[in-house]
Amino acid sequence: MTQLIVKNGFVYDPLNRIDGEKMDLAISDGKIVGKVDEKKAKVIDASGMIVMPGGVDIHTHIAGAEVNSGRLLRPEDHFRDVEAKTAITRSGVGYSVPSTFTTGYRYARMGYTTIMNPSMPPLEARHTHEELDDTPMVDKASYPLLGDWWFVLEYLRDGMIKECAAHVAWIMVATKGYAIKIVNPGGLEAWGFGQNVRNIDDPVPRFNITPKEIIRGLCKVNKLLHMPHTIHVHTNNLGKAGNYATALDTMKCVENLALEDKPVIHITHCQFSAYKGSNWRTLRSGAEEIAKYVNHHRHVTLDLGQVVFTDTTTMTADGPFQYGLYQLTSNKWVNHDVETETSSGIVPFRYRRKSYVHSIQWSIGLELGLLVEDPWKIYLTTDHPNAAPFTTYPRIISWLMSRNARDKTMKRINKRARHKSLLPSINREYSFYEIAIVTRAGQAKSLSLTQKGHLGIGADADIAIYNINPELVDPSRKHKAVRKAFENTAYTIKNGEIVVKDGKIVKSVRGKTFWVNPKLSSPIEVADDMKRRFREYWTVEYENYSIPESFLAASAPISVKTEV
């Protein structure tokens, strides 16, 4: 039984309302405990350092067919960034789409210990879990794509909400999924025939259902199943001028489904859905309108999708969006239709400071982060790797904590975008307490991962210790020191074991895979018609579709009692 004491650090633990209090933490057998035998425990002296729960990333594309296709598409991404082999770690490559082991090591060095892969075609779940199992250092989960799944569309069209809920429960077990993911609802089905939907009231071709009905239907399903996370929505019209109105319509359409002021919808990478204007030339920020709405409603949460000026690889199930990006850039492009389930696309991309559009996008993300008043409603992401690699999080933290850091970047962006930006009018600077919310506590709460994101007794002993003294360093002025501290932890502790010390991996560990196991009132029955349609429309027979629990290297099912 491993025992540790983290002594004398400045602890930021928002879920337990601890704001920089100097205190000790006791760890035994992978959990936070009240006390341990000090004579037997290893002591970590955290004097002059910040102690936070391990980071939680609610949305990062790190595994599965699209990520692997991105790696194949971009050999130039490999040699740019190499992870050298050590006595403890494996070698790896990749800047924007790093290999599996490299992904785990880099997250651990930043103090992250739990990450969520947000895009899993059910048909490709087996491959996704193989890659997740191959990603060390972190716990993880994945969200199956259900907003364009034929059976789901048919059940919702026919008003069969309970039957749809039973089907989604089956999918969660079959794919070992964690949350309902909806991407461009209806648009991906239309894309199979070279089309798209224009707004949330535009009927989906051949299905006689609208995106609004899909969103509301799956929101009801989510509630019936008592899923730990809300529906996780990538809105229609992503990446198009004027789409802030679609994002607002999407949030409004489930307003009356919320109870007890609890969130029922999560809008992901909201920066890409917060554009005013009618074309790229007239593009401007819709962040103020979205933030105003979110500030006055409690049923919605967001994550940023913050752009950073760098080279990256875009990838999403939103096939029509990626086709548009391919037409815009003439870059390499992968288009993939996943049978009756979803689509996907991949296009390399570079965000440039001198581009008006890219500079506006950079500004919008930060505007959202700073104008949404409650940090429990908005979380730090880059929609890795779409807006930037996850390794840029420390830079974003410095922008959120320092107006001075923002101003320095503002001086280097496109001049016309600088004049349009709302950032010069915003003085807000995040505190370390708020950074702890948007990078771990808020995300863990949104995912209902009760053992993550905090340092209370009984929590998983996932801890990040950053070498920066909040009594001596003003993050507003010393933003470079903040960025440097968040790039490499002094210590990362995973399940009570020291896995990173001074930015170096000192132990490689395997993380768990969380998945949801809905408990229905009666066993799930799969109709013969469904099996027949598997034979007719899928390349995989129904009997080979489900993933057995034994397939996961470290299965961590979460049982939920449903109303079905």
Side-chain angles (χ1 to χ4, degrees):
M1 183 169 64
T2 304
Q3 294 190 335
L4 286 175
I5 301 175
V6 178
K7 288 189 77 71
N8 217 27
F10 295 99
V11 174
Y12 291 87
D13 181 8
L15 280 167
N16 290 301
R17 299 183 181 181
I18 298 172
D19 185 4
E21 183 180 338
K22 196 178 288 187
M23 56 191 292
D24 300 342
L25 295 174
I27 298 159
S28 179
D29 204 19
K31 297 287 184 183
I32 305 291
V33 296
K35 62 179 181 179
V36 295
D37 185 341
E38 295 197 16
K39 294 179 181 176
K40 296 180 180 178
K42 178 180 176 61
V43 176
I44 295 175
D45 182 3
S47 300
M49 299 185 192
I50 282 176
V51 179
M52 291 184 179
V56 179
D57 197 340
I58 199 169
H59 189 107
T60 175
H61 298 262
I62 52 109
E66 64 179 4
V67 177
N68 218 28
S69 296
R71 295 180 183 122
L72 290 170
L73 183 69
R74 300 212 63 199
E76 70 275 17
D77 191 71
H78 299 186
F79 60 75
R80 178 182 175 186
D81 199 340
V82 175
E83 186 84 20
K85 183 180 185 301
T86 71
I88 295 169
T89 62
R90 299 262 296 264
S91 60
V93 294
Y95 172 71
S96 63
V97 273
S99 47
T100 52
F101 282 84
T102 299
T103 297
Y105 301 149
R106 291 179 180 172
Y107 262 112
R109 289 192 189 108
M110 296 195 308
Y112 276 72
T113 52
T114 305
I115 57 181
M116 297 297 193
N117 185 63
S119 181
M120 179 172 70
L123 185 63
E124 294 169 350
R126 193 173 293 265
H127 176 196
T128 303
H129 283 295
E130 286 175 333
E131 290 206 355
L132 289 176
D133 281 344
D134 213 33
T135 305
M137 316 300 285
V138 289
D139 296 331
K140 48 255 172 177
S142 200
Y143 312 154
L145 291 151
L146 297 177
D148 288 81
W149 222 79
W150 278 11
F151 289 106
V152 168
L153 298 186
E154 289 176 356
Y155 280 129
L156 296 181
R157 176 196 62 197
D158 298 336
M160 302 169 70
I161 298 295
K162 284 201 170 184
E163 290 81 357
C164 187
H167 183 75
V168 169
W170 172 77
I171 282 282
M172 287 296 159
V173 175
T175 65
K176 303 298 177 280
Y178 190 82
I180 296 174
K181 177 68 181 298
I182 305 171
V183 172
N184 186 6
L188 310 189
E189 169 55 29
W191 179 238
F193 300 89
Q195 302 172 41
N196 199 353
V197 291
R198 293 166 297 181
N199 56 61
I200 68 169
D201 294 308
D202 194 15
V204 180
R206 289 165 289 278
F207 274 91
N208 193 28
I209 188 172
T210 65
K212 180 191 288 183
E213 291 168 326
I214 296 171
I215 297 164
R216 284 183 58 83
L218 284 174
C219 189
K220 293 175 184 174
V221 164
N222 205 76
K223 293 175 67 178
L224 283 173
L225 294 179
H226 294 177
M227 295 290 286
H229 184 38
T230 64
I231 53 171
H232 194 98
V233 180
H234 159 138
T235 60
N236 300 102
N237 290 326
L238 184 120
K240 293 181 180 178
N243 67 5
Y244 84 104
T246 305
L248 288 173
D249 288 343
T250 303
M251 292 184 249
K252 290 174 183 174
C253 86
V254 294
E255 258 185 41
N256 65 353
L257 299 180
L259 292 173
E260 301 171 353
D261 289 337
K262 292 183 178 177
V264 294
I265 187 169
H266 179 82
I267 303 295
T268 191
H269 39 68
C270 194
Q271 174 275 132
F272 287 115
S273 303
Y275 304 158
K276 280 184 174 178
S278 56
N279 54 49
W280 291 120
R281 184 168 180 75
T282 61
L283 184 80
R284 61 190 195 281
S285 173
E288 196 168 15
E289 285 76 7
I290 288 180
K292 184 177 179 182
Y293 180 85
V294 173
N295 287 338
H296 289 88
H297 294 82
R298 301 187 65 82
H299 71 286
V300 59
T301 57
L302 314 174
D303 67 82
L304 282 180
Q306 175 63 42
V307 160
V308 178
F309 300 111
T310 188
D311 181 67
T312 195
T313 308
T314 66
M315 57 181 63
T316 169
D318 196 341
F321 165 77
Q322 291 292 79
Y323 177 63
L325 200 59
Y326 157 69
Q327 288 185 309
L328 191 68
T329 63
S330 298
N331 286 341
K332 295 182 284 187
W333 170 49
V334 170
N335 179 56
H336 183 34
D337 175 46
V338 188
E339 302 185 7
T340 68
E341 300 180 351
T342 182
S343 65
S344 69
I346 304 157
V347 178
F349 200 79
R350 172 175 283 275
Y351 294 98
R352 302 176 187 275
R353 286 189 182 86
K354 298 306 177 187
S355 161
Y356 171 73
V357 171
H358 303 172
S359 296
I360 286 287
Q361 290 177 305
W362 169 80
S363 180
I364 288 173
L366 291 174
E367 291 165 16
L368 284 168
L370 295 164
L371 291 173
V372 172
E373 295 166 356
D374 184 352
W376 293 98
K377 292 182 178 178
I378 190 161
Y379 315 125
L380 192 161
T381 68
T382 59
D383 182 22
H384 166 82
N386 285 293
F390 65 82
T391 47
T392 60
Y393 287 178
R395 190 178 309 181
I396 299 168
I397 288 172
S398 71
W399 284 328
L400 291 171
M401 298 193 78
S402 169
R403 175 167 179 157
N404 187 29
R406 299 196 292 270
D407 288 345
K408 284 186 175 179
T409 304
M410 282 283 286
K411 290 177 182 175
R412 302 174 65 194
I413 68 171
N414 176 277
K415 187 176 179 181
R416 191 160 72 93
R418 190 159 64 231
H419 291 309
K420 295 279 187 182
S421 173
L422 302 178
L423 290 177
S425 65
I426 303 172
N427 292 320
R428 182 180 176 190
E429 295 176 326
Y430 273 45
S431 65
F432 285 114
Y433 187 77
E434 289 175 313
I435 290 296
I437 295 172
V438 300
T439 58
R440 49 263 287 163
Q443 313 210 21
K445 183 179 179 184
S446 178
L447 294 162
S448 298
L449 288 171
T450 55
Q451 72 278 42
K452 303 291 185 185
H454 73 101
L455 299 171
I457 292 175
D460 286 353
D462 292 354
I463 302 171
I465 304 175
Y466 299 103
N467 191 5
I468 189 164
N469 188 328
E471 287 187 337
L472 301 178
V473 175
D474 175 1
S476 178
R477 292 189 299 111
K478 301 288 186 182
H479 51 87
K480 288 184 180 177
V482 171
R483 177 177 160 183
K484 183 179 179 182
F486 278 91
E487 285 175 344
N488 288 296
T489 59
Y491 293 91
T492 301
I493 299 170
K494 180 80 187 101
N495 284 335
E497 296 188 272
I498 299 171
V499 295
V500 176
K501 186 174 185 303
D502 297 328
K504 294 182 179 177
I505 305 293
V506 295
K507 184 169 186 176
S508 184
V509 295
R510 183 189 291 279
K512 299 187 286 286
T513 298
F514 295 111
W515 58 280
V516 174
N517 185 16
K519 297 295 184 185
L520 276 56
S521 58
S522 58
I524 301 170
E525 293 185 7
V526 177
D528 290 340
D529 178 60
M530 182 172 165
K531 296 179 181 177
R532 175 187 64 77
R533 292 167 75 177
F534 260 89
R535 283 193 295 276
E536 292 182 358
Y537 299 120
W538 271 261
T539 53
V540 173
E541 288 278 351
Y542 163 79
E543 287 75 11
N544 296 322
Y545 194 75
S546 296
I547 299 172
E549 186 175 1
S550 59
F551 189 77
L552 305 182
S555 174
I558 297 175
S559 295
V560 292
K561 188 176 180 181
T562 74
E563 297 177 38
V564 179

